[in-house]
Amino acid sequence: MSASPPPSRRMLLTAAVATPAAGLAGSLTSDGRDPDTTDRSGDGKAGSTSAGPGPGKADPAAPAGGSGPPFRPELPAEGLVTNEYAHGHPDAGDARLSPDWIVTSGSLFAHWAFGWTGVPDGEAPGPDSVPHTGSAVFRLVSRRQDFGDTSVRSWVFLKPPGATARTPARAWDGGHLWLRHHSAQELYALSFRRRDGMVVLKRKHPEPGRPVDEEGVYTTLATAHHPLDYGRWHRIAATVSTRGDDRVRIALALDGRAVLDAEDREPGRLTAPGGVGLRGDNTEMAFFGFTARGDAGHRRPAGGAYR
């Protein structure tokens, strides 16, 4: 299965003519920057619209090739893919199950072959996520749980965060990437666009001495200030790898620019493989070209083609 190119400006405008614009759809067609940019190296592959970290400096979060099978989930052109109702009622005849994704909260739609949260609200969705999406709390994780040393990349598009009666405005509202997701209590969370403009890496783990199914506790491992523009497509790329001394290194690049590069010296069970996914809080979000590859230790030089 080959990787899909990012959505072109022509694709967005064509879809806008053919489909009534609503919610995120209207914003997509007004985006002034086309994410379908050709790499200037001459190999014809998709490239970054932004400068890399600089001459002679490797991008620590560049997508990596690997020996394992890449995870490149495909979405239909339109419609509900899966939702939290399906997660809670997997044997129900009206449950929409996905072979690639599990939604533990909210709803995942396909819209013009993008993944889309729908317009967020705070109500629990039914089988068809109509009239409610529940996506003010959006939690998406891969069914595959074999991602160890891994690189993940995706195009993402976010609208400014709002709030609901269930989910008041908070500093961390926005978009987040999950790495080594073992459970809702044990994972790495990379916040790539928060309401407060911070980029944050956190480890979530069960509280010592408490039942493992209770809500976990977060430990902040690294922060930076790097607010992305809303209403535009951005490229996120992250790597996670376990070192020989049981340390875990995690790096993040946004639009080709290194933003975070940190080591977790107390990862515990998170040295082991897990799932990958996305989280959204009070935010309408779309994504495209989500890909996870094994062997995060294999790096490309800065300025190389974005694959």
Side-chain angles (χ1 to χ4, degrees):
M1 186 185 301
S2 59
S4 300
S8 68
R9 180 77 172 159
R10 179 175 298 177
M11 289 170 58
L12 299 177
L13 293 174
T14 300
V17 172
T19 307
L24 181 63
S27 297
L28 288 171
T29 60
S30 64
D31 177 17
R33 183 169 62 181
D34 186 354
D36 189 14
T37 305
T38 301
D39 176 49
R40 300 301 188 264
S41 63
D43 64 1
K45 295 183 175 63
S48 170
T49 59
S50 302
K57 296 182 180 180
D59 179 348
S67 57
F71 176 63
R72 297 190 184 109
E74 292 187 349
L75 295 171
E78 293 289 333
L80 179 66
V81 177
T82 189
N83 61 5
E84 69 176 82
Y85 174 87
H87 174 63
H89 306 83
D91 298 324
D94 54 0
R96 307 284 188 91
L97 299 174
S98 166
D100 298 312
W101 294 114
I102 298 170
V103 171
T104 61
S105 182
S107 303
L108 173 64
F109 298 90
H111 193 53
W112 307 338
F114 310 140
W116 180 38
T117 62
V119 179
D121 61 53
E123 303 297 326
D128 298 322
S129 291
V130 176
H132 301 295
T133 67
S135 290
V137 181
F138 179 73
R139 305 291 185 265
L140 176 72
V141 65
S142 62
R143 288 193 179 275
R144 279 182 56 180
Q145 296 284 303
D146 60 344
F147 299 105
D149 289 4
T150 304
S151 62
V152 178
R153 55 90 162 162
S154 184
W155 293 91
V156 294
F157 185 107
L158 287 85
K159 294 183 71 175
T164 72
R166 174 189 173 194
T167 56
R170 295 156 299 190
W172 64 81
D173 288 339
H176 321 269
L177 176 67
W178 276 340
L179 301 170
R180 295 196 180 173
H181 184 290
H182 293 181
S183 69
Q185 294 77 33
E186 194 169 45
L187 53 87
Y188 285 115
L190 265 173
S191 300
F192 53 84
R193 188 24 167 143
R194 295 179 17 146
R195 190 190 292 266
D196 61 5
M198 299 301 294
V199 176
V200 181
L201 168 61
K202 292 185 178 183
R203 180 206 324 122
K204 189 178 185 183
H205 51 91
E207 187 173 2
R210 303 295 300 171
V212 295
D213 59 346
E214 284 190 0
E215 183 66 17
V217 294
Y218 280 104
T219 299
T220 299
L221 302 175
T223 64
H225 188 260
H226 191 89
L228 297 175
D229 292 338
Y230 292 115
R232 292 181 178 272
W233 286 98
H234 296 282
R235 180 163 55 92
I236 61 173
T239 60
V240 56
S241 57
T242 299
R243 302 309 191 187
D245 54 359
D246 287 337
R247 298 183 182 185
V248 175
R249 183 184 180 191
I250 298 174
L252 173 70
L254 300 175
D255 294 325
R257 187 175 300 278
V259 177
L260 284 182
D261 191 348
E263 252 189 9
D264 183 5
R265 300 184 179 185
E266 299 180 21
R269 288 165 26 97
L270 288 175
T271 56
V276 293
L278 291 167
R279 165 182 162 174
D281 294 284
N282 278 333
T283 300
E284 192 174 350
M285 178 168 60
F287 64 94
F288 189 88
F290 190 102
T291 303
R293 298 175 182 268
D295 188 12
H298 179 74
R299 307 266 171 78
R300 66 152 169 86
Y306 180 69
R307 305 175 191 275

